[in-house]
C-alpha cells in the first residue's frame, strides 16, 4: 500500500452537491487509496439525498449531522470518523478545492517527519495566481499580511502565522492534542484559532514547498452582484474577530482591538464593494449584529415554551431542558407571559404553539391567554427575536378559532429554524431545518425507585398514553371484540380525551373479561410497572409520524407493535431485530396474535440499540440550532 493509504481526506460541504461531484471525485481518483470522508452540513433534503447517493456510489464515508453544525464542528465530525477508520494523517479540503497526489504526498511527508506540524500548501486560484501562501496576524492591530510581506513588519511586531483552513494536513497525534476546531466560531477564524493552539502546544505552522492546491473560493460567500458577500460572511468575520481577541489576547490588547472594531468592520464590508450599498439593509444589519455579538461573551438565552417542570410534564421536555442547562453555551428560562413580554432572552423555542392560547379551562381565561399571546407575538416582531419550532405534529389541531390561527400564522412568520424528529417530516416553512431524533428515556426511568419485581404476562398487550381518536384505541377494542376466542389479556392505561371515548372503553371492560383499564393519569413508577408486566406494547394509531410512547416502551426493553411506515421501518432496523413489529392498515386480531407469537417464540436478545439517541448529543444539536437562528 502506498503512503496515501494512511491518509484520510475530510471534506465538509454545505449546499451545492455539484461541488463534490466536480472536485472531490477528482481528488478521490488522484489520491487513491486514501479514504474520503464527506460531512454534509444539512441545507435541504434534496441536497442531503444527492450527497448520500454520491457517497454510496463512490464508496466514500458519509457523515450526516441533523443540522448545519458549522465548518469547525463539521471538520471535527469528519476527523472522528476518519480516525475511527484507522487514518494516521488527516487532510482537510474544501469542496471547491482540489489537490494532486504529489502535493498530498509532500504534505504527508512533512507532517510525519514533524508530528507537531500543521502543514498547508500554496493555494492557487483557478487562473494559477497565488491566493494564499500563509498569512501573519498582527496581534497588536488585528490586521492580516501575507508571509511574503514579512519584511514590512516592524522589529517589535508580534504576529501569529496561520494557513487557510481550505487545505491543510495534520497527524493523528497533533489533531488529538488539539481536540479539533473550537466550535464556537461556526464559520471563519476557526483556522486562525487552530494555528494559535498549535503554537501554544509547541508546534509549528508552515507552507510546504512544492505542494499546491487549487481553490475556486467564494462559492458560499457571495450574495448578489459580482463582489458582494453573503450576510453570514460579514457577520462571522466581524463577530469572530472579537471572539478570537477575547480568547487569546490580554486585556490591554483586546481593548485596542475593540477600539478598532468599527474600522475593521467597515474594511470587511467593503470587500463586497460599494454597489451592495444600493440595497444596504441585509449587509448593514449583518455588520451591526456582528459588532453587537462580538462584544458579548455569554451563552444564548433560550425561552422555552414550557411553564414549569412538574411531575406531569412530558419527560421529553424535562430531559431536554435539564440537559441544555448542563451546557455552558446555553441558558434556559421557562415560560411566563410576564417574562415573555418584558424579559430578556435571545431565542424563543416552542413545541406546541397552540397551547399558548388553548391551555386554559374557562372562556375568560382563554380570552386572557389570547390577549397575552397577541402582546407576546408583537414583542417578538418588534425585537426581531427568532423563533425555533420543534415540529411534532403534521397539522394543527381541530377546534382552533380564527384568532388562534392568526396568532399561529404570526409565530410561523417569526420562525427562523425548524427542528424535526425525523427526516420524513416536511414542515411547510422555507427556513433552515435540523433533524434531531427523539432521544431515549432510559436515564429518566433509572431515577425512579423500582417497583416490586414484575413478571411479564405472555398474553398481555398494553396500550398506554392519552386515549384520543387518532390513536386508534377504538380499533383495538373492535379487533378484540370481533375475536372472542382469542386468548388475550388487553390492558389500557391512560386518560380519555372526551367522555364518549371513556364510555366506549368502560363498556368494553364491562362486557369482556379479557380487557382491563385504568382510565387515569399514571405516574412514572406505575407506568414502568405496567410496561414491565406486558409482553407487548401495542400502539394502534391510525397514522403515526413519530411517537414518544414507542421510544418509551423500547427504553424499558419491551417489544412494540406499531403502524407500518417509513419512519418505523427505519427505527426497526436501528433498534435491532425483534423489538418493533409492524402492521399495515387497520389493526386486526391476526396482527396482535402474530406479534405475541413472535415475541414468545424468539424473544429479542439484549436490549434495543438506542445508542444513536443520547441526550447530550441531542442537546448539542439543539444548541447549534438556537445559535443558527441568531445568524443573519
Amino acid at each position: 500500500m502506498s503512503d496515501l493509504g494512511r491518509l484520510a481526506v475530510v471534506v465538509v460541504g454545505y449546499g451545492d452537491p455539484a461541488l463534490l461531484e466536480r472536485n472531490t471525485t477528482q481528488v478521490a481518483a488522484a489520491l487513491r487509496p486514501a479514504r474520503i470522508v464527506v460531512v454534509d452540513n444539512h441545507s435541504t433534503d434534496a441536497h442531503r439525498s444527492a450527497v448520500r447517493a454520491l457517497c454510496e456510489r463512490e464508496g466514500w464515508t458519509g457523515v450526516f449531522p441533523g443540522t448545519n453544525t458549522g465548518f469547525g464542528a463539521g471538520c471535527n465530525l469528519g476527523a472522528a470518523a476518519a480516525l475511527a477508520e484507522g487514518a494516521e494523517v488527516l487532510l482537510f479540503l474544501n469542496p471547491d478545492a482540489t489537490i494532486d497526489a504529489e502535493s498530498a504526498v509532500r504534505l504527508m511527508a512533512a507532517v510525519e517527519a514533524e508530528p507537531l506540524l500543521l502543514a498547508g500548501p500554496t493555494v492557487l486560484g483557478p487562473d494559477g495566481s497565488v491566493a494564499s501562501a500563509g498569512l501573519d496576524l498582527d496581534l497588536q492591530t488585528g490586521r492580516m499580511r501575507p508571509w511574503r510581506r514579512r519584511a514590512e513588519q516592524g522589529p517589535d511586531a508580534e504576529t501569529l502565522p496561520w494557513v487557510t483552513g481550505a487545505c491543510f494536513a495534520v497527524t493523528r497525534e497533533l489533531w488529538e492534542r488539539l481536540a479539533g476546531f473550537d466550535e464556537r466560531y461556526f464559520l471563519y477564524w476557526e483556522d486562525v484559532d487552530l494555528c494559535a493552539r498549535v503554537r501554544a502546544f509547541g508546534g509549528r505552522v508552515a507552507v510546504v514547498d512544492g505542494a499546491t492546491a487549487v481553490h475556486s473560493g467564494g462559492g458560499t460567500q457571495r450574495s448578489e452582484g459580482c463582489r458582494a458577500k453573503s450576510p453570514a460572511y460579514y457577520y462571522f468575520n466581524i463577530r469572530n474577530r472579537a471572539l478570537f481577541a477575547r480568547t487569546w489576547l490580554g486585556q490591554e490588547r483586546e481593548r485596542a482591538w475593540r477600539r478598532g472594531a468599527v474600522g475593521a468592520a467597515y474594511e470587511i464590508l467593503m470587500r463586497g464593494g460599494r454597489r451592495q450599498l444600493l440595497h444596504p439593509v441585509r449587509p448593514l444589519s449583518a455588520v451591526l449584529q456582528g459588532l453587537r455579538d462580538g462584544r458579548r461573551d455569554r451563552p444564548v438565552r433560550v425561552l422555552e415554551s414550557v411553564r414549569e417542570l412538574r411531575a406531569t410534564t412530558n419527560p421529553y421536555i424535562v430531559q431536554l431542558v435539564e440537559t441544555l442547562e448542563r451546557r455552558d453555551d446555553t441558558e434556559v428560562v421557562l415560560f411566563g407571559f410576564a417574562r415573555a413580554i418584558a424579559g430578556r432572552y435571545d431565542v424563543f423555542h416552542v413545541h406546541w404553539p397552540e397551547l399558548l392560547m388553548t391551555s386554559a379551562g374557562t372562556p375568560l381565561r382563554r380570552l386572557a391567554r389570547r390577549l397575552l399571546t397577541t402582546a407576546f407575538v408583537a414583542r417578538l416582531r418588534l425585537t426581531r427575536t427568532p423563533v425555533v419550532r420543534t415540529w411534532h405534529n403534521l397539522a394543527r389541531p381541530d377546534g382552533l378559532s380564527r384568532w388562534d390561527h392568526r396568532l399561529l400564522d404570526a409565530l410561523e412568520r417569526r420562525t427562523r429554524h425548524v427542528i424535526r424528529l425525523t427526516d420524513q417530516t416536511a414542515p411547510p416553512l422555507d427556513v433552515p431545518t435540523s433533524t434531531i431524533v427523539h432521544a431515549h428515556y432510559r436515564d429518566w426511568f433509572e431515577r425512579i425507585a423500582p417497583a416490586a419485581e414484575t413478571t411479564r404476562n405472555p398474553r398481555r398487550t398494553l396500550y398506554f398514553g392519552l386515549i384520543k381518536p387518532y390513536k386508534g384505541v377504538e380499533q383495538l377494542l373492535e379487533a378484540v371484540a370481533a375475536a372472542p376466542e382469542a386468548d388475550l389479556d388487553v390492558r389500557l392505561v391512560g386518560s380519555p380525551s372526551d367522555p364518549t371515548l371513556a364510555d366506549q372503553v368502560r363498556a368494553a371492560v364491562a362486557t369482556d373479561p379479557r380487557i382491563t383499564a385504568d382510565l387515569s393519569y399514571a405516574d412514572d413508577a406505575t407506568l414502568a410497572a405496567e410496561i414491565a408486566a406486558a409482553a407487548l406494547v401495542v400502539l394502534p394509531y391510525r397514522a403515526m409520524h413519530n411517537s414518544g410512547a414507542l421510544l418509551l416502551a423500547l427504553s424499558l426493553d419491551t417489544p412494540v407493535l406499531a403502524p407500518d411506515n417509513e419512519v418505523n421501518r427505519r427505527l426497526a432496523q436501528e433498534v435491532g431485530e425483534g423489538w418493533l413489529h409492524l402492521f399495515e392498515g387497520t389493526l386486526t386480531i391476526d396482527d396482535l396474535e402474530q406479534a405475541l407469537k413472535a415475541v414468545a417464540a424468539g424473544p429479542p436478545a439484549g436490549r434495543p440499540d438506542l445508542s444513536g439517541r443520547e441526550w447530550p448529543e441531542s442537546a448539542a444539536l439543539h444548541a447549534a440550532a438556537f445559535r443558527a437562528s441568531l445568524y443573519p
Side-chain angles (χ1 to χ4, degrees):
M1 182 179 288
S2 71
D3 288 343
L4 291 171
R6 300 195 304 276
L7 177 71
V9 182
V10 177
V11 181
V12 177
Y14 175 79
D16 189 4
L19 290 175
L20 298 170
E21 180 78 56
R22 183 166 59 248
N23 298 311
T24 309
T25 52
Q26 178 182 334
V27 171
L31 271 56
R32 194 173 288 117
R35 299 171 178 84
I36 305 294
V37 178
V38 172
V39 182
D40 177 51
N41 268 333
H42 187 273
S43 57
T44 68
D45 289 347
H47 286 164
R48 171 61 56 88
S49 297
V51 175
R52 281 189 188 277
L54 181 60
C55 289
E56 291 173 3
R57 188 192 80 194
E58 298 293 331
W60 300 341
T61 298
V63 180
F64 302 101
T67 189
N68 178 12
T69 64
F71 177 74
C75 286
N76 291 346
L77 290 171
L83 296 177
E85 292 179 354
E88 294 299 326
V89 177
L90 301 172
L91 175 64
F92 295 89
L93 189 68
N94 273 16
D96 54 356
T98 59
I99 190 170
D100 58 63
E102 181 181 352
S103 295
V105 169
R106 286 178 183 271
L107 292 175
M108 282 187 67
V111 298
E112 289 184 325
E114 188 179 344
L116 297 187
L117 173 68
L118 188 151
T122 296
V123 179
L124 307 176
D127 61 357
S129 62
V130 175
S132 176
L135 292 162
D136 283 324
L137 170 64
D138 187 325
L139 296 178
Q140 292 179 324
T141 66
R143 294 185 176 279
M144 306 282 191
R145 291 189 183 88
W147 287 0
R148 65 179 180 272
R149 293 176 56 190
R150 281 178 168 173
E152 301 175 16
Q153 299 171 9
D156 298 327
E158 184 178 352
T159 59
L160 169 72
W162 64 283
V163 298
T164 174
C167 182
F168 69 93
V170 292
T171 60
R172 171 193 287 266
E173 177 184 349
L174 179 56
W175 186 257
E176 290 178 344
R177 284 201 193 188
L178 294 170
F181 281 109
D182 184 337
E183 298 180 6
R184 294 178 299 163
Y185 289 89
F186 192 83
L187 185 66
Y188 305 123
W189 282 79
E190 63 278 282
D191 45 5
V192 186
D193 176 273
L194 190 74
C195 292
R197 281 186 286 132
V198 169
R199 189 172 72 164
F201 287 143
R204 192 168 68 90
V205 176
V207 170
V208 174
D209 289 341
T212 59
V214 177
H215 183 211
S216 60
T220 61
Q221 299 174 4
R222 303 202 182 280
S223 172
E224 55 180 287
C226 61
R227 288 189 58 194
K229 310 291 188 180
S230 69
Y233 177 88
Y234 300 131
Y235 172 80
F236 285 113
N237 269 288
I238 294 167
R239 176 250 203 187
N240 290 348
R241 178 183 183 275
L243 174 57
F244 178 88
R246 291 201 308 273
T247 303
W248 289 102
L249 304 182
Q251 290 186 357
E252 182 177 348
R253 193 168 282 171
E254 184 195 351
R255 281 196 294 268
W257 278 44
R258 284 190 179 185
R259 288 193 295 270
V262 173
Y266 177 77
E267 184 273 329
I268 292 168
L269 177 64
M270 286 299 99
R271 294 174 192 171
R274 296 182 182 277
R275 290 188 61 188
Q276 66 184 322
L277 300 182
L278 295 173
H279 304 281
V281 174
R282 294 187 70 207
L284 290 180
S285 176
V287 168
L288 292 174
Q289 284 184 256
L291 288 168
R292 179 200 65 189
D293 292 350
R295 295 184 64 85
R296 67 182 185 181
D297 192 11
R298 61 175 176 83
V300 175
R301 198 169 206 221
V302 180
L303 176 66
E304 283 285 349
S305 56
V306 62
R307 289 178 167 275
E308 56 181 321
L309 303 183
R310 300 179 294 184
T312 56
T313 303
N314 187 328
Y316 168 84
I317 302 295
V318 177
Q319 291 182 99
L320 175 59
V321 169
E322 290 180 346
T323 314
L324 285 170
E325 286 176 335
R326 289 195 286 270
R327 296 183 61 85
D328 59 10
D329 61 355
T330 308
E331 179 184 356
V332 177
V333 292
L334 300 184
F335 191 88
F337 276 110
R339 179 181 291 120
I341 295 169
R344 182 184 67 79
Y345 50 91
D346 303 306
V347 178
F348 174 53
H349 178 211
V350 60
H351 293 268
W352 296 276
E354 63 273 6
L355 296 181
L356 293 172
M357 298 85 76
T358 62
S359 58
T362 66
L364 185 59
R365 289 189 174 185
R366 284 194 290 274
L367 174 61
R369 278 185 169 272
R370 289 183 176 111
L371 289 170
L372 289 168
T373 303
T374 301
F376 170 47
V377 169
R379 178 256 161 86
L380 293 175
R381 182 178 179 183
L382 288 171
T383 58
R384 303 174 64 87
T385 301
V387 174
V388 174
R389 167 88 177 270
T390 295
W391 213 276
H392 291 275
N393 300 325
L394 295 179
R396 293 177 183 177
D398 296 330
L400 298 178
S401 70
R402 184 177 299 177
W403 192 354
D404 296 333
H405 281 291
R406 286 179 176 174
L407 289 171
L408 292 175
D409 290 342
L411 279 170
E412 289 183 1
R413 286 193 293 272
R414 289 301 314 152
T415 299
R416 295 293 175 265
H417 202 101
V418 166
I419 295 170
R420 58 185 179 180
L421 305 183
T422 167
D423 59 11
Q424 297 299 297
T425 301
L429 304 184
D430 185 19
V431 298
T433 300
S434 299
T435 302
I436 307 178
V437 296
H438 195 311
H440 60 66
Y441 291 95
R442 282 177 176 161
D443 300 337
W444 178 260
F445 281 96
E446 284 177 0
R447 317 176 187 182
I448 298 169
E453 180 126 4
T454 304
T455 302
R456 289 197 188 274
N457 181 341
R459 297 168 45 247
R460 173 163 291 184
T461 61
L462 170 70
Y463 169 88
F464 67 88
L466 291 175
I467 299 175
K468 295 183 176 182
Y470 75 88
K471 292 193 174 183
V473 173
E474 311 97 307
Q475 294 178 189
L476 172 61
L477 296 176
E478 291 168 5
V480 174
E485 74 288 350
D487 186 19
L488 295 172
D489 180 338
V490 179
R491 177 76 170 158
L492 308 177
V493 176
S495 300
S497 62
D498 62 60
T500 301
L501 273 174
D503 291 343
Q504 188 173 350
V505 174
R506 291 190 184 100
V509 171
T511 58
D512 194 331
R514 298 172 299 168
I515 303 174
T516 59
D518 180 354
L519 302 185
S520 61
Y521 168 76
D523 62 26
D524 292 324
T526 301
L527 190 57
E530 293 279 6
I531 293 173
L536 180 73
V537 166
V538 57
L539 301 176
Y541 296 16
R542 293 188 176 91
M544 176 185 286
H545 193 63
N546 54 72
S547 171
L550 198 163
L551 262 295
L552 195 158
L554 292 174
S555 297
L556 291 173
D557 305 333
T558 300
V560 180
L561 175 63
D564 185 3
N565 57 41
E566 179 62 25
V567 174
N568 285 344
R569 285 194 290 272
R570 290 188 184 184
L571 181 60
Q573 292 180 342
E574 176 186 344
V575 299
E577 187 175 355
W579 289 107
L580 182 52
H581 303 265
L582 304 176
F583 68 88
E584 294 183 7
T586 301
L587 179 73
T588 67
I589 198 67
D590 288 340
D591 296 322
L592 277 175
E593 291 185 325
Q594 288 174 11
L596 282 171
K597 287 178 182 177
V599 170
R607 305 188 72 185
D609 182 1
L610 301 175
S611 59
R613 297 172 178 268
E614 298 292 345
W615 277 105
E617 286 75 8
S618 176
L621 290 173
H622 276 83
F626 299 148
R627 290 194 302 272
S629 73
L630 295 169
Y631 303 150

